[in-house]
Amino acid sequence: MTQTRSARPWYRRMTGRRRDEPHRTSTPLELFFDLCFVVAVAQAADNLHHALSEGHIGLAAGHYFMVFFAIWWAWMNFTWFASAYDTDDDVYRITTLVEIAGALILASGVPRAFTEGDFATITFGYVVMRLATIVHWSRAAAGDPAHRPAALRYAGGVFVVQLGWLLRLMLPDSWQIAAFLVLVIAELLVPALAERPGMTPWHPRHIVERYGLFTLIVLGEVVLVTSVAIQTGIDAGEHQLWSLAAAGTVIVFALWWLYFDRPVEMPDQLRQALFWGYGHYLIFASVAAVGAGLAVEVDHESDNPHISQLTAGYAVAMPVAVYVMTLWALHVRRRQHRWLTATFLATAALVLLTPLGPAPAHFVAVLLFCLVVVTVLVRRLSTAPESTAPDAAAGPAGVHG
């Protein structure tokens, strides 16, 4: 029987949840966690837009990927932990709210990171989030003897890496990038090493749902950024932006369709599961960057002197191409369908060529529309024998459309 909020004890042992638990869905706390993290995503995308519009392309891309790593990694670690050990007691809730507070601190430091290269506030917010994660894993180690080695490796690994992030702030500027890359590798290695004694009881279908929901939230951020940018241009008398608005709408719709075209299946093996989970960094980052790119296109159409057509075109084409390639690697490749693979790869290549011609965003929209059409046709053809074959038990009524 499900306990009510008033009947739930303030503290529970973290014994781990079952990997085959039926009806495992996202909790209100997880959804609230996602919504708060979107503040940081919005800050990253908005500052990427402004940096690109001012012509700081290389610096903008570097800062964006560094900031987005902090956002994505903290979100991902909480997501996998909650899938395995969500007790929903008061201690768990308070610890999670501390993580959310860290995300808000991180978000407040994003503008300074882009404009001044100062990552101190982002680092402090990130460390707050990760220290709360150590509390989670320490509780899991105490309450789940079967997975105690994994939980202790998580807690110890996270603690050591956080010391590294704080020490990085004291290094000279010439060492900052190298130190960042080393610490990123260290962060990525913690789950890979921690899970080896025996995988923690994360729920595959729950993880798939959580990733899908965050994809939806980031897509919603793209819609918001694009609509605000176009509204600003139209209010300034730039009525030619209506066609760009249509192209942007088709792009966002296509990104959604391609991700959710079929039910997503997550691999059970640790190596493949980590590849799938880590690969979504490019999914989330590229989707948010599409919104920034469309805003840059609006600036270009509004005669911003700092933006060339080539820059504006690649601001949209590059993240779209990354999205298509990553989606192929994570979802489509496993279907082993030659024509679908060829179409995805060809679409990514053609998208990268669109900035060399006129109206690149419009051509990107056309290419994505064609990719959606091919994806739908392949799906229908691959399921046609099952869907058109009569059901012997059901008779004529067993035919499905």
Side-chain angles (χ1 to χ4, degrees), residues 206-236:
H206 177 245
I207 292 290
V208 167
E209 181 193 27
R210 297 288 295 115
Y211 273 69
L213 288 172
F214 200 69
T215 301
L216 285 174
I217 289 176
V218 179
L219 280 168
E221 179 60 27
V222 174
V223 173
L224 176 61
V225 170
T226 305
S227 62
V228 169
I230 291 173
Q231 175 189 346
T232 302
I234 291 175
D235 289 344

Side-chain angles (χ1 to χ4, degrees), residues 57-287:
I57 300 172
L59 200 62
H63 287 168
Y64 176 73
F65 284 111
M66 292 170 71
V67 168
F68 208 94
F69 174 82
I71 299 168
W72 162 76
W73 189 246
W75 176 87
M76 190 183 113
N77 276 259
F78 168 77
T79 295
W80 286 65
F81 177 86
S83 183
Y85 291 105
D86 182 0
T87 55
D88 198 32
D89 59 21
D90 294 333
V91 177
Y92 176 83
R93 287 189 169 198
I94 292 170
T95 307
T96 302
L97 292 176
V98 171
E99 289 190 77
I100 293 175
L104 298 179
I105 296 171
L106 186 152
S108 68
V110 171
R112 181 170 294 181
F114 273 87
T115 58
E116 303 175 17
D118 182 356
F119 283 80
T121 303
I122 286 180
T123 300
F124 294 143
Y126 180 76
V127 170
V128 168
M129 290 188 288
R130 304 297 279 143
L131 290 179
T133 301
I134 295 173
V135 175
H136 280 319
W137 283 115
S138 299
R139 288 190 64 197
D144 187 9
H147 299 96
R148 183 168 296 156
L152 290 176
R153 290 193 187 203
Y154 268 114
V158 171
F159 178 77
V160 170
V161 177
Q162 299 325 295
L163 291 179
W165 286 114
L166 293 174
L167 291 174
R168 176 178 174 268
L169 297 177
M170 306 176 188
L171 296 176
D173 292 343
S174 58
W175 291 23
Q176 292 292 321
I177 299 298
F180 175 83
L181 295 175
V182 169
L183 289 167
V184 164
I185 294 172
E187 290 276 20
L188 296 176
L189 284 175
V190 169
L193 297 175
E195 295 277 349
R196 287 191 181 279
M199 288 192 295
T200 52
W202 44 268
H203 196 296
R205 289 194 303 276
H206 177 245
I207 292 290
V208 167
E209 181 193 27
R210 297 288 295 115
Y211 273 69
L213 288 172
F214 200 69
T215 301
L216 285 174
I217 289 176
V218 179
L219 280 168
E221 179 60 27
V222 174
V223 173
L224 176 61
V225 170
T226 305
S227 62
V228 169
I230 291 173
Q231 175 189 346
T232 302
I234 291 175
D235 289 344
E238 306 290 343
H239 297 291
Q240 75 276 11
L241 294 176
W242 284 115
S243 64
L244 181 58
T249 302
V250 172
I251 289 172
V252 174
F253 288 177
L255 298 181
W256 171 84
W257 191 295
L258 292 170
Y259 189 93
F260 295 100
D261 178 67
R262 294 190 184 191
V264 177
E265 295 182 3
M266 184 182 176
D268 286 331
Q269 298 297 321
L270 177 60
R271 181 177 298 178
Q272 289 82 2
L274 290 177
F275 177 78
W276 187 88
Y278 288 3
H280 270 75
Y281 166 75
L282 294 176
I283 293 284
F284 299 149
S286 60
V287 169

